[in-house]
mmCIF file of all heavy atoms in Angstrom:
data_model
loop_
_atom_site.group_PDB
_atom_site.id
_atom_site.type_symbol
_atom_site.label_atom_id
_atom_site.label_comp_id
_atom_site.label_asym_id
_atom_site.label_seq_id
_atom_site.Cartn_x
_atom_site.Cartn_y
_atom_site.Cartn_z
ATOM 1 N N ILE A 1 39.764 -3.758 41.941
ATOM 2 C CA ILE A 1 38.697 -4.414 41.189
ATOM 3 C C ILE A 1 37.442 -4.488 42.050
ATOM 4 O O ILE A 1 37.474 -5.025 43.159
ATOM 5 C CB ILE A 1 39.129 -5.818 40.743
ATOM 6 C CG1 ILE A 1 40.359 -5.709 39.843
ATOM 7 C CG2 ILE A 1 37.987 -6.532 40.030
ATOM 8 C CD1 ILE A 1 40.989 -7.026 39.481
ATOM 9 N N HIS A 2 36.368 -3.916 41.555
ATOM 10 C CA HIS A 2 35.084 -3.976 42.247
ATOM 11 C C HIS A 2 33.979 -3.736 41.223
ATOM 12 O O HIS A 2 34.231 -3.368 40.082
ATOM 13 C CB HIS A 2 35.017 -2.972 43.397
ATOM 14 C CG HIS A 2 35.258 -1.554 42.980
ATOM 15 N ND1 HIS A 2 34.299 -0.780 42.389
ATOM 16 C CD2 HIS A 2 36.363 -0.782 43.066
ATOM 17 C CE1 HIS A 2 34.795 0.415 42.137
ATOM 18 N NE2 HIS A 2 36.061 0.431 42.533
ATOM 19 N N SER A 3 32.752 -3.969 41.654
ATOM 20 C CA SER A 3 31.624 -3.801 40.740
ATOM 21 C C SER A 3 31.357 -2.320 40.494
ATOM 22 O O SER A 3 31.879 -1.448 41.197
ATOM 23 C CB SER A 3 30.381 -4.465 41.329
ATOM 24 O OG SER A 3 30.055 -3.866 42.564
ATOM 25 N N LEU A 4 30.539 -2.060 39.487
ATOM 26 C CA LEU A 4 30.131 -0.690 39.211
ATOM 27 C C LEU A 4 29.303 -0.160 40.370
ATOM 28 O O LEU A 4 28.699 -0.934 41.121
ATOM 29 C CB LEU A 4 29.298 -0.640 37.922
ATOM 30 C CG LEU A 4 30.026 -1.021 36.645
ATOM 31 C CD1 LEU A 4 29.039 -1.130 35.504
ATOM 32 C CD2 LEU A 4 31.092 0.000 36.322
ATOM 33 N N LYS A 5 29.255 1.142 40.511
ATOM 34 C CA LYS A 5 28.496 1.745 41.615
ATOM 35 C C LYS A 5 27.055 1.232 41.638
ATOM 36 O O LYS A 5 26.377 1.192 40.616
ATOM 37 C CB LYS A 5 28.468 3.262 41.476
ATOM 38 C CG LYS A 5 29.804 3.914 41.707
ATOM 39 C CD LYS A 5 29.660 5.414 41.760
ATOM 40 C CE LYS A 5 29.995 5.992 40.415
ATOM 41 N NZ LYS A 5 29.945 7.440 40.390
ATOM 42 N N ARG A 6 26.639 0.816 42.824
ATOM 43 C CA ARG A 6 25.256 0.381 43.081
ATOM 44 C C ARG A 6 24.803 -0.744 42.165
ATOM 45 O O ARG A 6 23.635 -0.849 41.828
ATOM 46 C CB ARG A 6 24.301 1.573 43.008
ATOM 47 C CG ARG A 6 24.586 2.632 44.064
ATOM 48 C CD ARG A 6 23.659 3.813 43.974
ATOM 49 N NE ARG A 6 23.795 4.605 42.761
ATOM 50 C CZ ARG A 6 24.721 5.520 42.537
ATOM 51 N NH1 ARG A 6 25.612 5.780 43.454
ATOM 52 N NH2 ARG A 6 24.766 6.179 41.411
ATOM 53 N N ARG A 7 25.717 -1.597 41.710
ATOM 54 C CA ARG A 7 25.349 -2.741 40.869
ATOM 55 C C ARG A 7 25.846 -4.019 41.515
ATOM 56 O O ARG A 7 26.833 -4.017 42.227
ATOM 57 C CB ARG A 7 25.959 -2.615 39.475
ATOM 58 C CG ARG A 7 25.394 -1.484 38.665
ATOM 59 C CD ARG A 7 26.018 -1.499 37.271
ATOM 60 N NE ARG A 7 25.670 -0.322 36.524
ATOM 61 C CZ ARG A 7 24.664 -0.261 35.660
ATOM 62 N NH1 ARG A 7 23.927 -1.315 35.438
ATOM 63 N NH2 ARG A 7 24.417 0.843 35.010
ATOM 64 N N ALA A 8 25.165 -5.104 41.220
ATOM 65 C CA ALA A 8 25.593 -6.404 41.715
ATOM 66 C C ALA A 8 26.961 -6.753 41.125
ATOM 67 O O ALA A 8 27.328 -6.262 40.050
ATOM 68 C CB ALA A 8 24.572 -7.481 41.331
ATOM 69 N N THR A 9 27.709 -7.594 41.806
ATOM 70 C CA THR A 9 29.071 -7.940 41.388
ATOM 71 C C THR A 9 29.130 -8.442 39.954
ATOM 72 O O THR A 9 30.003 -8.069 39.192
ATOM 73 C CB THR A 9 29.660 -9.000 42.333
ATOM 74 O OG1 THR A 9 29.622 -8.470 43.657
ATOM 75 C CG2 THR A 9 31.086 -9.329 41.978
ATOM 76 N N LYS A 10 28.219 -9.291 39.564
ATOM 77 C CA LYS A 10 28.233 -9.887 38.219
ATOM 78 C C LYS A 10 27.296 -9.173 37.241
ATOM 79 O O LYS A 10 27.018 -9.679 36.163
ATOM 80 C CB LYS A 10 27.841 -11.367 38.296
ATOM 81 C CG LYS A 10 28.767 -12.218 39.130
ATOM 82 C CD LYS A 10 30.001 -12.550 38.367
ATOM 83 C CE LYS A 10 30.883 -13.493 39.190
ATOM 84 N NZ LYS A 10 32.013 -13.958 38.469
ATOM 85 N N ALA A 11 26.805 -8.002 37.598
ATOM 86 C CA ALA A 11 25.860 -7.279 36.738
ATOM 87 C C ALA A 11 26.529 -6.877 35.427
ATOM 88 O O ALA A 11 27.713 -6.569 35.377
ATOM 89 C CB ALA A 11 25.335 -6.040 37.455
ATOM 90 N N THR A 12 25.763 -6.889 34.375
ATOM 91 C CA THR A 12 26.226 -6.422 33.073
ATOM 92 C C THR A 12 25.241 -5.374 32.570
ATOM 93 O O THR A 12 24.153 -5.208 33.127
ATOM 94 C CB THR A 12 26.314 -7.570 32.050
ATOM 95 O OG1 THR A 12 25.011 -8.122 31.873
ATOM 96 C CG2 THR A 12 27.275 -8.643 32.510
ATOM 97 N N ARG A 13 25.624 -4.697 31.534
ATOM 98 C CA ARG A 13 24.708 -3.744 30.914
ATOM 99 C C ARG A 13 24.957 -3.721 29.419
ATOM 100 O O ARG A 13 26.085 -3.866 28.963
ATOM 101 C CB ARG A 13 24.841 -2.355 31.516
ATOM 102 C CG ARG A 13 26.206 -1.758 31.330
ATOM 103 C CD ARG A 13 26.290 -0.392 31.947
ATOM 104 N NE ARG A 13 27.641 0.123 31.797
ATOM 105 C CZ ARG A 13 28.023 1.303 32.157
ATOM 106 N NH1 ARG A 13 27.148 2.127 32.687
ATOM 107 N NH2 ARG A 13 29.254 1.703 31.988
ATOM 108 N N ALA A 14 23.907 -3.568 28.670
ATOM 109 C CA ALA A 14 24.014 -3.506 27.214
ATOM 110 C C ALA A 14 24.468 -2.109 26.812
ATOM 111 O O ALA A 14 23.965 -1.108 27.324
ATOM 112 C CB ALA A 14 22.663 -3.821 26.582
ATOM 113 N N VAL A 15 25.433 -2.046 25.913
ATOM 114 C CA VAL A 15 25.922 -0.773 25.410
ATOM 115 C C VAL A 15 25.864 -0.835 23.887
ATOM 116 O O VAL A 15 26.607 -1.589 23.269
ATOM 117 C CB VAL A 15 27.375 -0.509 25.872
ATOM 118 C CG1 VAL A 15 27.878 0.803 25.313
ATOM 119 C CG2 VAL A 15 27.462 -0.524 27.383
ATOM 120 N N PRO A 16 24.965 -0.080 23.267
ATOM 121 C CA PRO A 16 24.859 -0.123 21.805
ATOM 122 C C PRO A 16 26.091 0.503 21.149
ATOM 123 O O PRO A 16 26.576 1.551 21.585
ATOM 124 C CB PRO A 16 23.603 0.696 21.511
ATOM 125 C CG PRO A 16 23.428 1.573 22.700
ATOM 126 C CD PRO A 16 24.019 0.847 23.875
ATOM 127 N N ILE A 17 26.597 -0.188 20.131
ATOM 128 C CA ILE A 17 27.745 0.333 19.378
ATOM 129 C C ILE A 17 27.487 0.144 17.891
ATOM 130 O O ILE A 17 26.717 -0.732 17.492
ATOM 131 C CB ILE A 17 29.071 -0.343 19.788
ATOM 132 C CG1 ILE A 17 29.009 -1.851 19.562
ATOM 133 C CG2 ILE A 17 29.411 -0.030 21.234
ATOM 134 C CD1 ILE A 17 30.327 -2.559 19.821
ATOM 135 N N PRO A 18 28.127 0.949 17.055
ATOM 136 C CA PRO A 18 27.922 0.845 15.611
ATOM 137 C C PRO A 18 28.420 -0.505 15.080
ATOM 138 O O PRO A 18 29.397 -1.064 15.594
ATOM 139 C CB PRO A 18 28.775 1.981 15.043
ATOM 140 C CG PRO A 18 29.066 2.883 16.183
ATOM 141 C CD PRO A 18 29.012 2.054 17.420
ATOM 142 N N PRO A 19 27.767 -1.038 14.033
ATOM 143 C CA PRO A 19 28.169 -2.317 13.456
ATOM 144 C C PRO A 19 29.643 -2.387 13.058
ATOM 145 O O PRO A 19 30.284 -3.422 13.214
ATOM 146 C CB PRO A 19 27.267 -2.459 12.229
ATOM 147 C CG PRO A 19 26.057 -1.653 12.573
ATOM 148 C CD PRO A 19 26.570 -0.506 13.404
ATOM 149 N N VAL A 20 30.207 -1.287 12.579
ATOM 150 C CA VAL A 20 31.610 -1.310 12.176
ATOM 151 C C VAL A 20 32.513 -1.555 13.391
ATOM 152 O O VAL A 20 33.527 -2.251 13.296
ATOM 153 C CB VAL A 20 32.003 -0.019 11.417
ATOM 154 C CG1 VAL A 20 31.972 1.193 12.334
ATOM 155 C CG2 VAL A 20 33.364 -0.175 10.777
ATOM 156 N N LEU A 21 32.134 -1.035 14.556
ATOM 157 C CA LEU A 21 32.909 -1.274 15.767
ATOM 158 C C LEU A 21 32.756 -2.727 16.224
ATOM 159 O O LEU A 21 33.722 -3.344 16.676
ATOM 160 C CB LEU A 21 32.496 -0.311 16.877
ATOM 161 C CG LEU A 21 33.264 -0.426 18.187
ATOM 162 C CD1 LEU A 21 34.775 -0.319 17.966
ATOM 163 C CD2 LEU A 21 32.802 0.622 19.177
ATOM 164 N N VAL A 22 31.570 -3.287 16.084
ATOM 165 C CA VAL A 22 31.355 -4.709 16.400
ATOM 166 C C VAL A 22 32.301 -5.563 15.555
ATOM 167 O O VAL A 22 32.970 -6.462 16.064
ATOM 168 C CB VAL A 22 29.889 -5.131 16.149
ATOM 169 C CG1 VAL A 22 29.713 -6.635 16.290
ATOM 170 C CG2 VAL A 22 28.957 -4.389 17.090
ATOM 171 N N PHE A 23 32.385 -5.253 14.273
ATOM 172 C CA PHE A 23 33.277 -5.996 13.376
ATOM 173 C C PHE A 23 34.730 -5.874 13.846
ATOM 174 O O PHE A 23 35.458 -6.871 13.908
ATOM 175 C CB PHE A 23 33.137 -5.476 11.940
ATOM 176 C CG PHE A 23 34.124 -6.087 10.997
ATOM 177 C CD1 PHE A 23 33.904 -7.359 10.490
ATOM 178 C CD2 PHE A 23 35.282 -5.415 10.650
ATOM 179 C CE1 PHE A 23 34.836 -7.945 9.633
ATOM 180 C CE2 PHE A 23 36.214 -5.988 9.799
ATOM 181 C CZ PHE A 23 35.989 -7.261 9.290
ATOM 182 N N MET A 24 35.144 -4.646 14.181
ATOM 183 C CA MET A 24 36.527 -4.434 14.617
ATOM 184 C C MET A 24 36.831 -5.199 15.903
ATOM 185 O O MET A 24 37.893 -5.815 16.035
ATOM 186 C CB MET A 24 36.790 -2.939 14.816
ATOM 187 C CG MET A 24 36.780 -2.144 13.520
ATOM 188 S SD MET A 24 36.762 -0.358 13.781
ATOM 189 C CE MET A 24 38.331 -0.115 14.584
ATOM 190 N N LEU A 25 35.917 -5.173 16.853
ATOM 191 C CA LEU A 25 36.126 -5.884 18.111
ATOM 192 C C LEU A 25 36.172 -7.397 17.901
ATOM 193 O O LEU A 25 37.015 -8.091 18.476
ATOM 194 C CB LEU A 25 35.037 -5.516 19.114
ATOM 195 C CG LEU A 25 35.108 -4.087 19.650
ATOM 196 C CD1 LEU A 25 33.875 -3.762 20.477
ATOM 197 C CD2 LEU A 25 36.368 -3.874 20.460
ATOM 198 N N ARG A 26 35.283 -7.911 17.060
ATOM 199 C CA ARG A 26 35.298 -9.355 16.781
ATOM 200 C C ARG A 26 36.584 -9.771 16.078
ATOM 201 O O ARG A 26 37.132 -10.840 16.347
ATOM 202 C CB ARG A 26 34.072 -9.744 15.957
ATOM 203 C CG ARG A 26 32.806 -9.730 16.787
ATOM 204 C CD ARG A 26 31.604 -10.151 15.995
ATOM 205 N NE ARG A 26 30.430 -10.201 16.859
ATOM 206 C CZ ARG A 26 29.198 -10.169 16.427
ATOM 207 N NH1 ARG A 26 28.949 -10.084 15.131
ATOM 208 N NH2 ARG A 26 28.197 -10.213 17.272
ATOM 209 N N GLU A 27 37.086 -8.937 15.184
ATOM 210 C CA GLU A 27 38.360 -9.216 14.520
ATOM 211 C C GLU A 27 39.507 -9.215 15.517
ATOM 212 O O GLU A 27 40.385 -10.071 15.469
ATOM 213 C CB GLU A 27 38.647 -8.176 13.427
ATOM 214 C CG GLU A 27 38.264 -8.551 12.036
ATOM 215 C CD GLU A 27 38.760 -9.912 11.605
ATOM 216 O OE1 GLU A 27 39.985 -10.116 11.451
ATOM 217 O OE2 GLU A 27 37.920 -10.792 11.411
ATOM 218 N N HIS A 28 39.484 -8.253 16.425
ATOM 219 C CA HIS A 28 40.521 -8.183 17.451
ATOM 220 C C HIS A 28 40.502 -9.451 18.321
ATOM 221 O O HIS A 28 41.550 -10.041 18.591
ATOM 222 C CB HIS A 28 40.314 -6.944 18.323
ATOM 223 C CG HIS A 28 41.320 -6.821 19.421
ATOM 224 N ND1 HIS A 28 42.527 -6.206 19.243
ATOM 225 C CD2 HIS A 28 41.307 -7.259 20.706
ATOM 226 C CE1 HIS A 28 43.218 -6.265 20.369
ATOM 227 N NE2 HIS A 28 42.486 -6.902 21.268
ATOM 228 N N ILE A 29 39.317 -9.880 18.730
ATOM 229 C CA ILE A 29 39.197 -11.089 19.550
ATOM 230 C C ILE A 29 39.633 -12.310 18.758
ATOM 231 O O ILE A 29 40.327 -13.189 19.284
ATOM 232 C CB ILE A 29 37.753 -11.244 20.067
ATOM 233 C CG1 ILE A 29 37.445 -10.124 21.069
ATOM 234 C CG2 ILE A 29 37.550 -12.614 20.713
ATOM 235 C CD1 ILE A 29 35.975 -10.021 21.436
ATOM 236 N N ARG A 30 39.270 -12.380 17.495
ATOM 237 C CA ARG A 30 39.685 -13.516 16.669
ATOM 238 C C ARG A 30 41.202 -13.582 16.562
ATOM 239 O O ARG A 30 41.809 -14.644 16.674
ATOM 240 C CB ARG A 30 39.074 -13.405 15.267
ATOM 241 C CG ARG A 30 39.374 -14.614 14.380
ATOM 242 C CD ARG A 30 38.984 -14.373 12.928
ATOM 243 N NE ARG A 30 39.746 -13.309 12.299
ATOM 244 C CZ ARG A 30 41.026 -13.397 11.931
ATOM 245 N NH1 ARG A 30 41.707 -14.498 12.143
ATOM 246 N NH2 ARG A 30 41.631 -12.378 11.349
ATOM 247 N N GLN A 31 41.834 -12.430 16.389
ATOM 248 C CA GLN A 31 43.275 -12.384 16.196
ATOM 249 C C GLN A 31 44.060 -12.531 17.505
ATOM 250 O O GLN A 31 45.061 -13.229 17.555
ATOM 251 C CB GLN A 31 43.665 -11.075 15.514
ATOM 252 C CG GLN A 31 45.131 -11.007 15.129
ATOM 253 C CD GLN A 31 45.446 -9.775 14.282
ATOM 254 O OE1 GLN A 31 44.569 -9.000 13.924
ATOM 255 N NE2 GLN A 31 46.703 -9.597 13.976
ATOM 256 N N PHE A 32 43.592 -11.875 18.574
ATOM 257 C CA PHE A 32 44.373 -11.817 19.812
ATOM 258 C C PHE A 32 43.741 -12.553 20.990
ATOM 259 O O PHE A 32 44.390 -12.749 22.006
ATOM 260 C CB PHE A 32 44.617 -10.362 20.219
ATOM 261 C CG PHE A 32 45.362 -9.579 19.179
ATOM 262 C CD1 PHE A 32 44.700 -8.669 18.373
ATOM 263 C CD2 PHE A 32 46.724 -9.751 18.992
ATOM 264 C CE1 PHE A 32 45.375 -7.938 17.410
ATOM 265 C CE2 PHE A 32 47.416 -9.034 18.023
ATOM 266 C CZ PHE A 32 46.740 -8.125 17.232
ATOM 267 N N GLY A 33 42.468 -12.929 20.878
ATOM 268 C CA GLY A 33 41.788 -13.560 22.005
ATOM 269 C C GLY A 33 41.542 -12.563 23.121
ATOM 270 O O GLY A 33 41.659 -11.352 22.936
ATOM 271 N N VAL A 34 41.190 -13.080 24.278
ATOM 272 C CA VAL A 34 40.978 -12.243 25.460
ATOM 273 C C VAL A 34 41.855 -12.766 26.587
ATOM 274 O O VAL A 34 42.322 -13.903 26.550
ATOM 275 C CB VAL A 34 39.494 -12.216 25.896
ATOM 276 C CG1 VAL A 34 38.620 -11.588 24.828
ATOM 277 C CG2 VAL A 34 38.995 -13.599 26.235
ATOM 278 N N ALA A 35 42.059 -11.947 27.605
ATOM 279 C CA ALA A 35 42.836 -12.352 28.774
ATOM 280 C C ALA A 35 42.054 -13.420 29.538
ATOM 281 O O ALA A 35 40.837 -13.534 29.392
ATOM 282 C CB ALA A 35 43.099 -11.135 29.659
ATOM 283 N N PRO A 36 42.727 -14.214 30.363
ATOM 284 C CA PRO A 36 42.034 -15.244 31.145
ATOM 285 C C PRO A 36 40.869 -14.705 31.980
ATOM 286 O O PRO A 36 39.888 -15.400 32.195
ATOM 287 C CB PRO A 36 43.132 -15.813 32.048
ATOM 288 C CG PRO A 36 44.390 -15.597 31.279
ATOM 289 C CD PRO A 36 44.185 -14.280 30.568
ATOM 290 N N ASP A 37 40.966 -13.451 32.415
ATOM 291 C CA ASP A 37 39.875 -12.874 33.209
ATOM 292 C C ASP A 37 38.824 -12.184 32.347
ATOM 293 O O ASP A 37 37.911 -11.564 32.842
ATOM 294 C CB ASP A 37 40.426 -11.915 34.265
ATOM 295 C CG ASP A 37 41.110 -10.695 33.669
ATOM 296 O OD1 ASP A 37 41.188 -10.574 32.432
ATOM 297 O OD2 ASP A 37 41.578 -9.850 34.450
ATOM 298 N N GLY A 38 38.953 -12.288 31.009
ATOM 299 C CA GLY A 38 37.953 -11.744 30.105
ATOM 300 C C GLY A 38 38.246 -10.362 29.563
ATOM 301 O O GLY A 38 37.509 -9.863 28.710
ATOM 302 N N ARG A 39 39.308 -9.714 30.044
ATOM 303 C CA ARG A 39 39.629 -8.388 29.527
ATOM 304 C C ARG A 39 39.978 -8.468 28.051
ATOM 305 O O ARG A 39 40.592 -9.405 27.590
ATOM 306 C CB ARG A 39 40.816 -7.769 30.286
ATOM 307 C CG ARG A 39 40.448 -7.242 31.639
ATOM 308 C CD ARG A 39 41.656 -6.701 32.385
ATOM 309 N NE ARG A 39 42.571 -7.801 32.691
ATOM 310 C CZ ARG A 39 43.796 -7.906 32.199
ATOM 311 N NH1 ARG A 39 44.285 -6.995 31.400
ATOM 312 N NH2 ARG A 39 44.553 -8.937 32.513
ATOM 313 N N LEU A 40 39.591 -7.466 27.315
ATOM 314 C CA LEU A 40 39.830 -7.429 25.881
ATOM 315 C C LEU A 40 41.233 -6.941 25.550
ATOM 316 O O LEU A 40 41.895 -7.473 24.680
ATOM 317 C CB LEU A 40 38.789 -6.511 25.223
ATOM 318 C CG LEU A 40 38.770 -6.437 23.719
ATOM 319 C CD1 LEU A 40 38.535 -7.797 23.100
ATOM 320 C CD2 LEU A 40 37.696 -5.474 23.267
ATOM 321 N N PHE A 41 41.711 -5.946 26.248
ATOM 322 C CA PHE A 41 43.022 -5.372 25.972
ATOM 323 C C PHE A 41 43.944 -5.598 27.159
ATOM 324 O O PHE A 41 43.545 -5.460 28.303
ATOM 325 C CB PHE A 41 42.909 -3.873 25.675
ATOM 326 C CG PHE A 41 42.005 -3.587 24.504
ATOM 327 C CD1 PHE A 41 40.743 -3.055 24.696
ATOM 328 C CD2 PHE A 41 42.419 -3.884 23.214
ATOM 329 C CE1 PHE A 41 39.909 -2.803 23.624
ATOM 330 C CE2 PHE A 41 41.587 -3.631 22.128
ATOM 331 C CZ PHE A 41 40.330 -3.096 22.335
ATOM 332 N N ARG A 42 45.194 -5.959 26.887
ATOM 333 C CA ARG A 42 46.198 -6.209 27.913
ATOM 334 C C ARG A 42 47.570 -5.923 27.344
ATOM 335 O O ARG A 42 47.733 -5.838 26.126
ATOM 336 C CB ARG A 42 46.109 -7.642 28.407
ATOM 337 C CG ARG A 42 46.283 -8.652 27.280
ATOM 338 C CD ARG A 42 45.705 -10.003 27.687
ATOM 339 N NE ARG A 42 45.860 -11.000 26.663
ATOM 340 C CZ ARG A 42 45.030 -11.187 25.653
ATOM 341 N NH1 ARG A 42 43.981 -10.403 25.513
ATOM 342 N NH2 ARG A 42 45.227 -12.131 24.780
ATOM 343 N N ASN A 43 48.562 -5.802 28.207
ATOM 344 C CA ASN A 43 49.918 -5.536 27.719
ATOM 345 C C ASN A 43 50.587 -6.836 27.270
ATOM 346 O O ASN A 43 49.982 -7.907 27.333
ATOM 347 C CB ASN A 43 50.746 -4.789 28.773
ATOM 348 C CG ASN A 43 51.008 -5.607 30.019
ATOM 349 O OD1 ASN A 43 50.843 -6.825 30.043
ATOM 350 N ND2 ASN A 43 51.409 -4.932 31.080
ATOM 351 N N ALA A 44 51.826 -6.758 26.821
ATOM 352 C CA ALA A 44 52.521 -7.931 26.285
ATOM 353 C C ALA A 44 52.675 -9.042 27.316
ATOM 354 O O ALA A 44 52.744 -10.221 26.964
ATOM 355 C CB ALA A 44 53.892 -7.520 25.750
#
């Protein structure tokens, strides 16, 4: 685990995605939540 190349440890970046994908991701988070460290997908 480390930051992205040449970026600050807590740096973020905006990534544009289609509205339908936003809906799918929000539904996934509503149904399954996120891991304690913020990851969206994790194993059982």
Side-chain angles (χ1 to χ4, degrees):
I1 299 173
H2 57 79
S3 61
L4 295 171
K5 291 189 263 183
R6 297 179 294 280
R7 293 183 189 264
T9 303
K10 299 281 184 174
T12 61
R13 62 180 177 176
V15 179
I17 59 174
V20 67
L21 182 54
V22 172
F23 174 79
M24 292 169 64
L25 290 172
R26 287 182 176 160
E27 264 310 292
H28 179 87
I29 292 169
R30 185 191 64 73
Q31 187 172 356
F32 300 104
V34 296
D37 64 359
R39 283 177 294 116
L40 186 59
F41 302 106
R42 58 200 181 275
N43 66 16

